[in-house]
Amino acid sequence: MSTTGVIRCKAAVAWEPGKPLTIEDVEVAPPKVHEVRIKIIASGVCHTDQEYLTGQFRQFPLVLGHEAAGIVESVGPEVTTFSQGDKVIPLFLPQCGECERCLSPKTNRCRKNWANTQVGVMADGTSRISYKGQQVYQFLGVSSFSQYTVVPDTSLAKIEVMHRLTKCVY
């Protein structure tokens, strides 16, 4: 079921470099234009999370995590490629499909909103995650160490679900 307001959920928050993450009740705002809010179903841990936690990232507090799978909970205005219930993978490298890099057969390194995601905010310069009114930065524009997160619609890929075979043929 889609909601229109703020969702309260659990997230693992990094408050400062080198300190353990703490589980907090955070608020996740609804998606804005060209954004999608997803319920995280599974999240992996990458060495990048550890590197950023030990000081490479300068913006704290921060919700880490960028390797995940989830389900679209709600979509913001002007989102046309995703719908509530879609199974998705958030991407830390966007795919706008329009820029020179996206149209090139040699690279997938789209730069749409790149500068913002590198400092933990969305296209409008703010995060959708907060704790008691304080902005919590979104790691690489994803933040999958939260039960819910918001990502740009260019930073999602649909998962095509294959039905399991009921009979094996040898």
Side-chain angles (χ1 to χ4, degrees):
M1 179 174 178
S2 176
T3 58
T4 56
V6 172
I7 291 178
R8 291 186 54 84
C9 66
K10 301 283 186 198
V13 178
W15 291 102
E16 57 185 288
K19 300 291 183 184
L21 306 178
T22 60
I23 304 301
E24 306 288 358
D25 289 316
V26 298
E27 297 84 33
V28 180
K32 294 184 179 182
V33 175
H34 288 290
E35 295 177 354
V36 177
R37 184 162 55 187
I38 59 176
K39 178 179 182 178
I40 299 295
I41 301 301
S43 184
V45 178
C46 177
H47 69 90
T48 309
D49 299 304
Q50 180 63 31
E51 289 175 13
Y52 277 66
L53 182 59
T54 57
Q56 184 175 346
F57 196 78
R58 303 289 182 240
Q59 304 289 341
F60 288 88
L62 169 69
V63 174
L64 292 163
H66 66 91
E67 296 182 349
I71 298 172
V72 172
E73 181 274 334
S74 58
V75 298
E78 299 182 31
V79 173
T80 59
T81 54
F82 298 96
S83 301
Q84 180 186 357
D86 284 347
K87 292 160 184 67
V88 293
I89 298 171
L91 309 169
F92 72 90
L93 285 175
Q95 296 292 308
C96 76
E98 300 170 355
C99 72
E100 179 182 351
R101 289 175 177 226
C102 284
L103 297 175
S104 169
K106 296 181 180 180
T107 182
N108 69 334
R109 299 200 179 226
C110 179
R111 292 292 187 195
K112 184 167 187 162
N113 294 322
W114 179 257
N116 286 337
T117 61
Q118 295 307 294
V119 294
V121 296
M122 303 295 277
D124 69 355
T126 65
S127 172
R128 300 296 165 263
I129 301 173
S130 62
Y131 176 78
K132 296 183 179 180
Q134 178 183 4
Q135 177 170 276
V136 177
Y137 293 97
Q138 293 182 241
F139 182 57
L140 298 176
V142 178
S143 288
S144 61
F145 291 178
S146 179
Q147 291 175 311
Y148 287 85
T149 191
V150 176
V151 299
D153 62 356
T154 55
S155 295
L156 276 180
K158 282 186 189 177
I159 300 172
E160 297 297 327
V161 179
M162 296 178 62
H163 296 286
R164 192 181 328 189
L165 292 174
T166 56
K167 180 179 177 184
C168 292
V169 178
Y170 294 96

